[in-house]
Amino acid sequence: MDSLSLVAVADELRRATRDRRLGAVLVPAREQLAISLGLGQALFVSINGAEARAHLVEELPEAPAVEPSIQTHFDSLLRGAEVLSIDVPDFDRVLTLDLANVDRVGTPHRSRLVIELMGKHSACLLLDEAGLIAATLKTVTHAVNRHRELL
């Protein structure tokens, strides 16, 4: 996916999330994430090296629960979040969503969903307010990449 296409997706996503909160989060297959936006729309993300992309779809795909713990974790962190901003920093192949939400006990917090569409180096991360990784769709250990671990 190129930068120009990602900017168009960001524009479309801004319109789709205006005055709405994020809905259910599914992991339909390994390295894929789908987030319901309501009104029959969802953000679909694939960080698979051969098909890295992000785009809007008309409905959530079926979720065979390939990675139920990852799905449950992302869902607990993203469901109900308000989208504060959507950006493609420096016209790069990175899509960021700044979010505001409350946890299970009602404490407000902010986070950032970072979707990097860089072929085999693609990643989907949820960062907390301090910039630490709260969730990742794909774990990358030091044995795989000695410059950047995603844990």
Side-chain angles (χ1 to χ4, degrees), residues 58-139:
E58 290 184 7
E59 59 186 48
L60 284 173
E62 290 189 32
V66 173
E67 297 287 345
S69 62
I70 292 174
Q71 177 173 307
T72 302
H73 188 56
F74 267 101
D75 189 67
S76 70
L77 295 171
L78 294 176
R79 187 187 291 245
E82 175 187 1
V83 179
L84 303 174
S85 68
I86 299 169
D87 194 24
V88 178
D90 300 324
F91 203 67
D92 206 348
R93 292 176 293 164
V94 177
L95 177 67
T96 62
L97 286 79
D98 288 320
L99 309 167
N101 207 354
V102 293
D103 61 19
R104 288 183 283 245
V105 294
T107 307
H109 60 89
R110 292 188 180 225
S111 57
R112 173 174 282 175
L113 183 63
V114 180
I115 302 163
E116 300 175 339
L117 302 172
M118 310 281 187
K120 73 177 188 174
H121 301 292
S122 296
C124 180
L125 313 164
L126 184 66
L127 307 177
D128 66 12
E129 292 180 75
L132 299 174
I133 298 172
T136 181
L137 195 55
K138 175 173 67 175
T139 301

Side-chain angles (χ1 to χ4, degrees), residues 138-149:
K138 175 173 67 175
T139 301
V140 178
T141 64
H142 183 72
V144 174
N145 186 333
R146 62 190 174 103
H147 300 289
R148 181 176 166 202
E149 287 185 304

Side-chain angles (χ1 to χ4, degrees), residues 9 12-14 16 35 37 41-44 54-58:
V9 168
E12 197 175 359
L13 190 54
R14 279 185 205 98
I35 305 169
L37 305 174
Q41 288 186 307
L43 173 64
F44 180 82
H55 57 89
L56 294 182
V57 294
E58 290 184 7

Side-chain angles (χ1 to χ4, degrees), residues 1-49:
M1 177 166 235
D2 62 61
S3 300
L4 192 58
S5 298
L6 194 56
V7 168
V9 168
D11 247 10
E12 197 175 359
L13 190 54
R14 279 185 205 98
R15 287 190 297 276
T17 57
R18 187 170 290 132
D19 301 324
R20 286 193 248 158
R21 294 189 176 270
L22 300 180
V25 178
L26 299 177
V27 177
R30 187 174 296 277
E31 299 182 348
Q32 292 181 350
L33 185 73
I35 305 169
S36 174
L37 305 174
L39 298 177
Q41 288 186 307
L43 173 64
F44 180 82
V45 176
S46 173
I47 59 168
N48 181 291

